[in-house]
Amino acid sequence: MTKQTLILAVETSCDETSVSVIADGHQILSNSVLSQIDSHKRFGGVVPEVASRHHVENITLMVEDALTTAQVTMDDIDAVAVTQGPGLIGALLVGVNAAKALAFAHNKPLIPVHHIAGHIYANQLDKGLTFPLMALIVSGGHTELVLMRNHLNFEVIGETRDDAVGEAYDKVARTIGLPYPGGPHVDKLAAEGIDSYDFPRVWLEPDSFDFSFSGLKSAVINKLHNLKQKGETPIPENVAASFQNSVVEVLVGKAIRACEQYDVKQLIVAGGVASNRGLRAELERATEAHGITLSIPEPKLCTDNAAMIGAVAYYLYQQGVTADMALNGKSNMFLETI
Ligand code: KG4
Ligand code: ZN
């Protein structure tokens, strides 16, 4: 039997400190994730400086935990991978420096990984990628439609022109008095309400695969304002259901049109909002109706984790893509040129 390729991957781009050991790009030997959500909750959002400090406190513990759980030592590891960007620069730097130190001390290759490529490759850990594919990325910082004709080949065909979908969820949640991060709370509430507020569906130009969510967010805020002025009380469940229906209709509508236009074999969904129950249900219904194969990772692989970074790194490793000790974190980074 040939020896498996083991990659130790590090992810610290936002508010999760995560380290994972991945075999051959698809088998998860460990995926240690420490979420900082409880720490940021009281501020109503992620505080970058607080995030960096927590990463510094926890990164060594997570490396030890990932190695112990995988029952391997650094001697068994073939390469060290790390999220280079995009993300919060202070947070990214903690992971990048930890990965550099590990690679240098143990004389292993260092592999830089794009965070969004990681979200896409979470599907490689689940059902696997079948090309050509369309990826719908829905996270707290990104909303994109990405065409992939092969491994590591990314063509962004549409993206948000303003807010990311997760960001819109979190802002609407705050407006109706729900705690951070609001997405899962809005999702839960939406299941108990009806679409009664008639919020706009923002399609942009007919042939565009871009998205825009700031108008919808303002429509929700204005509606709540108007009701208050008239002395009426909004029904939170119905606000959540109306907002979610508007988001889901546009996301699914554009994703299906993109799949048909580019004649892909698979639609994959990635990012934190991919755990949204309303979105998952509508995607299942629409893909079945259009004969498209759908892949959505299990919820714990939808949110930030290092296993997805290790999955991409395996293919970069095979192509000999490595970085030297000058590697730096990047808050902005293009997916198409990695
Ligand atoms: O991908 P992710 O973990 O972090 C980023 O890279 O951004 O996504 C976090 C986002 C947050 O905005 C959170 O509110 C949203 O994903 N989210 C959800 C749900 N679960 C997480 N949004 C809607 N419905 C959910 N069930
Ligand atoms: Zn993410």
Side-chain angles (χ1 to χ4, degrees), residues 50-69:
V50 173
S52 312
R53 282 165 194 263
H54 282 309
H55 287 311
V56 170
E57 283 163 13
N58 297 323
I59 188 70
T60 315
L61 293 173
M62 287 296 99
V63 171
E64 280 168 13
D65 191 66
L67 289 169
T68 311
T69 309

Side-chain angles (χ1 to χ4, degrees), residues 8-332:
L8 179 116
V10 176
E11 153 67 42
T12 62
S13 67
C14 191
D15 60 345
E16 263 97 23
T17 316
S18 181
V19 180
S20 166
V21 177
I22 293 289
D24 289 342
H26 63 87
Q27 194 187 343
I28 304 175
L29 302 190
S30 64
N31 189 19
S32 307
V33 184
L34 202 80
S35 171
Q36 308 173 359
I37 281 179
D38 284 344
S39 206
H40 297 285
K41 232 180 205 162
R42 66 196 127 131
F43 304 111
V46 177
V47 182
E49 187 55 26
V50 173
S52 312
R53 282 165 194 263
H54 282 309
H55 287 311
V56 170
E57 283 163 13
N58 297 323
I59 188 70
T60 315
L61 293 173
M62 287 296 99
V63 171
E64 280 168 13
D65 191 66
L67 289 169
T68 311
T69 309
Q71 297 184 311
V72 297
T73 68
M74 278 309 292
D75 289 342
D76 304 310
I77 298 293
D78 294 287
V80 178
V82 63
T83 305
Q84 186 187 7
L88 302 171
I89 190 64
L92 288 164
L93 283 175
V94 178
V96 167
N97 283 313
K100 283 202 302 201
L102 280 169
F104 184 73
H106 298 277
N107 198 22
K108 308 285 179 189
L110 177 66
I111 305 174
V113 178
H114 191 291
H115 182 74
I116 298 303
H119 274 302
I120 293 174
Y121 273 73
N123 289 273
Q124 179 69 9
L125 300 166
D126 208 300
K127 291 201 181 72
L129 305 179
T130 314
F131 303 105
L133 65 79
M134 189 60 64
L136 172 67
I137 321 290
V138 280
S139 79
H142 296 264
T143 311
E144 282 160 24
L145 275 166
V146 180
L147 172 67
M148 284 184 77
R149 296 185 200 277
N150 217 326
H151 277 299
L152 304 177
N153 175 288
F154 305 98
E155 188 185 332
V156 179
I157 63 155
E159 61 195 330
T160 183
R161 295 185 186 172
D162 39 59
D163 292 355
V165 63
E167 203 179 340
Y169 260 98
D170 294 340
K171 284 182 186 160
V172 164
R174 199 183 313 170
T175 313
I176 48 180
L178 299 169
Y180 177 85
H185 297 282
V186 174
D187 189 14
K188 206 163 153 233
L189 219 53
E192 295 157 21
I194 51 164
D195 183 352
S196 62
Y197 286 109
D198 196 25
F199 292 136
R201 270 64 174 155
V202 184
W203 294 105
L204 302 171
E205 304 81 35
D207 60 345
S208 175
F209 288 115
D210 282 350
F211 301 96
S212 167
F213 295 105
S214 74
L216 172 61
K217 179 191 68 190
S218 303
V220 176
I221 295 169
N222 290 343
K223 184 80 192 172
L224 295 179
H225 228 79
N226 292 345
L227 290 173
K228 205 173 158 193
Q229 277 174 341
K230 286 194 270 177
E232 292 175 32
T233 316
I235 303 163
E237 290 84 355
N238 291 2
V239 176
S242 306
F243 166 75
Q244 180 148 307
N245 269 13
S246 170
V247 169
V248 167
E249 201 176 308
V250 174
L251 286 175
V252 176
K254 293 211 178 211
I256 297 288
R257 187 163 61 80
C259 287
E260 295 193 323
Q261 186 164 321
Y262 289 92
D263 198 18
V264 296
K265 293 210 174 85
Q266 188 188 31
L267 171 64
I268 66 157
V269 191
V273 186
S275 29
N276 183 277
R277 283 178 299 168
L279 177 63
R280 290 174 92 100
E282 184 54 19
L283 279 166
E284 276 160 22
R285 190 204 59 75
T287 48
E288 204 182 313
H290 288 81
I292 299 163
T293 308
L294 175 69
S295 170
I296 313 179
E298 58 174 312
K300 72 170 192 278
L301 291 176
C302 288
T303 44
D304 290 349
N305 67 87
M308 65 187 198
I309 302 303
V312 186
Y314 174 70
Y315 294 92
L316 291 166
Y317 179 72
Q318 286 191 322
Q319 291 192 0
V321 178
T322 56
D324 61 23
M325 287 298 134
L327 182 72
N328 214 339
K330 281 187 184 168
S331 53
N332 289 310

